Amino acid sequence: MINLKDKPFYLNDDQIKWVNDTKASLSLDEKIGQLFVIMKNIPGADEKQIQDTLDKTHQGGLRWFGGDKETTYKQNTTYQKLSKVPVLIAANCDTGGNGCVQGGTYVASAAECGAGDGIENAYHLGLVSGREASAIGCNWMFNPVVDVYKNWRNTIVNTRAFSSDPDKVIENARAFIKGVKDANPNMACAAKHFPGDGVEELDQHLTLGVNSLGVDEWEANFGKVYRTLINEGLESIMVGHIALPSMSKKLRPGIKDEEIMPATLAPELITDLLRDDMGFNGLVITDATHMVGLVAMMKRSDAIPRILSSGCDMILFANDYAEDVGYIKAALADGRLSEERIDDALTRILGMKAHLNLNKEEVLFPNTALMDKIGCEEHQSYAEQAADTCITLVKDTKHYLPIKPNEKKRVFLVYVGASPATKGYNGDPEKKVVVEELERAGFEVDCCPNFHELEVENGVNFFNMIKMMNTGTRKEFVEKHDFALIVINVKGYAQENWVRVRWSCNHSVELPWYNVEIPTIAMSLNYTNHLIDIPQIHTYINAYSPSRTHVRAAIEKIAGLSEFKGHAEDYVFCDRWDTRL
């Protein structure tokens, strides 16, 4: 029996009565519907469409992408108005309110927070995320990320992890959660991605994740993080499609390698470890169920019911909803899944809703005036504070900095963005921000050619490649430029396992041949591990974000108008000696 009076629910008798009465009022279809968080791909508040969706799914939770604040508020409150049972509406705010609504505030990434002193930036990240998500009707934060960054090759959690040190992860995660709760006590947090990402370099969107730590090492890192947060009342945990072979072998002696499953399908990791050993009484939700780390391991007809029988309470996204429900009903009929397990999951889901007071109208329908906080000056000031205190000078071994525009103003700018993913590419707006901010600081900018931009300007032709290979004479280049600045804004998602610097074409003029001709600085606006691809650069900065706030702050630090205050962890040197030179 689940004790709803215990942490993390802390329900009183009236709330428990609401849980039991609500549960008793639901049909089997409605009970199964409560197990799903359904994705709404197109934001909108059409009442008929939402009612039709609710009549079909009886969904317990909602996620969506896109939408301005007014549309999103109306959408989310319409779901609450029309649903028989209040809906858990989730936000994904890794870097601030920008994760849940257009115009939301980018505050900082987790890696950025970890680079600063103290935990104030993580607190502000939680505070702003909680305020802006609450303003549009969200009540569940799919954060914080509490992965411990143990492998510098891993780019799926590179900027999303606070640190490689579990104690620093705990401190920042705790601060984030406090910020969310100070913003809205009626919002739950979900720590992710149990049993822990950051040990290998693979992305569970593309393949099974494997946390290869031994049991003792896992306990000293990920186990320590989760046990601490569970003890402090963490309400929910998102389980990744990540295997933990050492623990599975400990808990299931004799288990064969081919029987080792991701945690989402592993009862020994969810029921035996997380529930029984670690004492987690709260809500367990899967990561997205379209990810290859799940779907390539087992037929969906078996995986969907096994998610539940393994101990997970909610399923993030359906493929075909009716088909997924059919898989659950078939498993109930043939005994692979018990009604008791459904009841157990449902109790926790409704217990969470009672814990968040979702049976109260003032909670379901927040005051529209709260939307004025979205993107407000106060929130923007927290972004400015994070940029000032966290941007990191990783190395400056030749002492090139500062570079003052009244002394050296002519900059050769090499901007390296992600390769275009569509024929609709028409330039990189974030490059324009870099140019504008350099000119604002007093520099004269000479932009290195970019093959993709040349094709936009001139069409596809042989001469673009010729231009990209022409460096000119060294004498002319040195006479024209005082220093070079390589700005790397490379990012990727669910397309490749390890995102690296990729120049816009082969034998490109962008390549850092100029490093030995003029002072050269490199600056990343995203990932922190780019020294692996440019180890010969003697001055390297992690600025963490391509936002104008961060670009401006970084350029001011380059120009000596502000000092660098962030700290680099050792992983940024990518386990190589030459990256330190």
Side-chain angles (χ1 to χ4, degrees):
M1 294 293 293
I2 299 169
N3 183 1
L4 293 176
K5 291 188 175 183
D6 200 358
K7 65 183 175 188
F9 300 109
Y10 301 111
L11 300 191
N12 59 38
D13 290 339
D14 288 341
Q15 290 171 315
I16 292 173
K17 183 178 185 302
W18 179 85
V19 169
N20 292 330
D21 290 347
T22 302
K23 189 163 52 173
S25 74
L26 299 179
S27 67
L28 178 60
D29 283 343
E30 289 170 333
K31 289 179 178 179
I32 294 174
Q34 287 295 300
L35 308 177
F36 284 88
V37 176
I38 302 296
M39 169 58 70
K40 190 176 193 295
N41 291 315
I42 302 175
D46 182 275
E47 288 203 14
K48 183 179 185 307
Q49 186 269 328
I50 291 174
Q51 185 67 70
D52 289 346
T53 299
L54 289 169
D55 289 344
K56 172 186 174 184
T57 66
H58 318 288
Q59 66 197 70
L62 170 69
R63 276 284 285 123
W64 80 99
F65 286 124
D68 59 74
K69 60 185 180 182
E70 290 82 7
T71 300
T72 305
Y73 175 89
K74 188 174 181 183
Q75 166 195 275
N76 293 346
T77 53
T78 299
Y79 268 89
Q80 301 292 23
K81 180 177 73 171
L82 298 178
S83 181
K84 177 178 178 178
V85 181
V87 181
L88 289 168
I89 301 180
N92 206 59
C93 295
D94 287 358
T95 56
N98 63 310
C100 66
V101 64
Q102 292 176 9
T105 308
Y106 179 104
V107 179
S109 67
E112 182 177 350
C113 292
D117 290 324
I119 55 175
E120 190 174 19
N121 291 307
Y123 172 79
H124 289 154
L125 176 57
L127 182 71
V128 172
S129 298
R131 283 178 178 173
E132 297 191 356
S134 298
I136 55 171
C138 298
N139 48 50
W140 195 6
M141 186 69 66
F142 281 174
N143 295 97
V145 173
V146 296
D147 294 318
V148 186
Y149 196 59
K150 294 295 184 183
N151 187 337
W152 62 266
R153 295 177 183 271
N154 186 309
T155 49
I156 192 62
V157 297
N158 174 272
T159 59
R160 303 169 77 197
F162 287 113
S163 178
S164 60
D165 177 356
D167 291 322
K168 185 179 281 190
V169 172
I170 290 169
E171 292 169 359
N172 281 273
R174 183 186 287 137
F176 179 95
I177 292 169
K178 185 178 188 307
V180 170
K181 291 298 184 179
D182 284 352
N184 180 5
N186 296 309
M187 177 171 281
C189 286
K192 58 187 182 185
H193 308 80
F194 184 86
D197 201 352
V199 174
E200 59 164 0
E201 63 194 68
L202 301 181
D203 176 357
Q204 292 79 59
H205 293 87
L206 307 177
T207 188
L208 172 67
V210 178
N211 186 320
S212 59
L213 295 184
V215 170
D216 291 343
E217 193 175 3
W218 182 86
E219 284 286 4
N221 287 277
F222 297 91
K224 183 177 185 179
V225 171
Y226 280 101
R227 289 182 190 276
T228 301
L229 296 179
I230 288 168
N231 276 347
E232 294 178 1
L234 176 67
E235 294 144 319
S236 60
I237 288 174
M238 179 178 285
V239 177
H241 309 305
I242 302 169
L244 184 57
S246 63
M247 189 68 73
S248 288
K249 290 178 179 180
K250 175 186 176 182
L251 297 173
R252 294 290 188 274
I255 191 173
K256 299 175 182 177
D257 285 350
E258 61 266 28
E259 295 172 332
I260 292 174
M261 289 288 139
T264 35
L265 300 173
E268 71 275 13
L269 299 184
I270 304 304
T271 300
D272 298 3
L273 175 63
L274 185 58
R275 293 289 191 205
D276 297 342
D277 182 66
M278 302 177 76
F280 182 61
N281 188 43
L283 181 65
V284 174
I285 182 170
T286 72
D287 207 339
T289 59
H290 63 272
M291 294 164 67
V292 177
L294 174 78
V295 297
M297 299 302 295
M298 187 179 293
K299 287 184 178 180
R300 195 170 182 90
S301 57
D302 295 321
I304 291 298
R306 179 152 166 171
I307 282 169
L308 298 168
S309 66
S310 295
C312 297
D313 302 308
M314 295 195 83
I315 299 167
L316 184 56
F317 307 150
N319 179 45
D320 179 273
Y321 179 76
E323 186 177 57
D324 282 356
V325 170
Y327 297 149
I328 292 173
K329 288 183 175 180
L332 285 169
D334 65 23
R336 286 176 293 144
L337 183 62
S338 69
E339 290 185 16
E340 289 77 12
R341 175 76 269 271
I342 297 292
D343 184 80
D344 179 85
L346 185 59
T347 299
R348 285 196 171 92
I349 294 165
L350 295 176
M352 180 67 75
K353 294 180 179 185
H355 166 72
L356 299 178
N357 293 302
L358 298 189
N359 56 330
K360 296 181 179 180
E361 189 168 299
E362 64 269 22
V363 174
L364 288 183
F365 306 104
N367 191 317
T368 56
L370 294 175
M371 288 192 287
D372 292 340
K373 280 287 187 181
I374 295 173
C376 69
E377 289 186 10
E378 178 193 352
H379 292 180
Q380 182 57 36
S381 73
Y382 297 143
E384 292 168 359
Q385 179 178 332
D388 179 52
T389 58
C390 300
I391 290 174
T392 305
L393 178 60
V394 174
K395 66 174 182 176
D396 183 28
T397 57
K398 297 291 186 181
H399 307 294
Y400 290 147
L401 297 182
I403 295 182
K404 300 179 179 180
N406 62 338
E407 298 173 0
K408 296 179 179 180
K409 66 167 46 184
R410 301 170 304 167
V411 54
F412 180 62
L413 174 64
V414 180
Y415 181 91
V416 185
S419 297
T422 171
K423 291 182 179 179
Y425 174 78
N426 194 30
D428 189 333
E430 291 167 337
K431 177 180 179 179
K432 182 181 178 185
V433 171
V434 173
V435 173
E436 290 173 349
E437 290 302 320
L438 283 168
E439 291 176 341
R440 177 183 180 274
F443 294 107
E444 295 177 356
V445 183
D446 178 27
C447 287
C448 177
N450 175 281
F451 184 72
H452 307 300
E453 291 178 355
L454 290 177
E455 289 203 321
V456 170
E457 295 171 7
N458 307 323
V460 179
N461 65 71
F462 175 74
F463 296 102
N464 291 334
M465 183 65 74
I466 297 298
K467 186 171 184 179
M468 287 303 301
M469 296 171 66
N470 182 19
T471 63
T473 68
R474 296 298 190 265
K475 181 176 183 296
E476 290 173 335
F477 180 83
V478 171
E479 288 176 349
K480 187 178 179 181
H481 304 104
D482 295 314
F483 72 103
L485 176 63
I486 306 171
V487 176
I488 304 172
N489 185 21
V490 173
K491 49 196 170 186
Y493 173 74
Q495 192 172 11
E496 54 192 316
N497 277 301
W498 183 19
V499 182
R500 297 281 293 268
V501 172
R502 190 171 191 266
W503 310 96
S504 67
C505 69
N506 58 303
H507 300 294
S508 171
V509 67
E510 301 159 311
L511 299 173
W513 53 270
Y514 39 83
N515 179 55
V516 291
E517 303 292 343
I518 56 177
T520 298
I521 301 162
M523 177 169 71
S524 171
L525 304 183
N526 204 293
Y527 297 128
T528 61
N529 57 0
H530 288 313
L531 275 174
I532 186 63
D533 289 318
I534 49 170
Q536 67 275 19
I537 303 301
H538 301 293
T539 303
Y540 178 79
I541 298 161
N542 276 325
Y544 304 104
S545 168
S547 75
R548 188 176 293 274
T549 296
H550 285 70
V551 171
R552 178 174 296 179
I555 291 171
E556 288 178 350
K557 292 176 187 298
I558 289 171
L561 301 178
S562 171
E563 64 180 286
F564 289 93
K565 301 172 185 175
H567 308 283
E569 294 195 21
D570 196 62
Y571 69 77
V572 301
F573 295 106
C574 309
D575 293 333
R576 291 175 63 109
W577 60 271
D578 54 340
T579 56
R580 300 174 184 272
L581 301 178

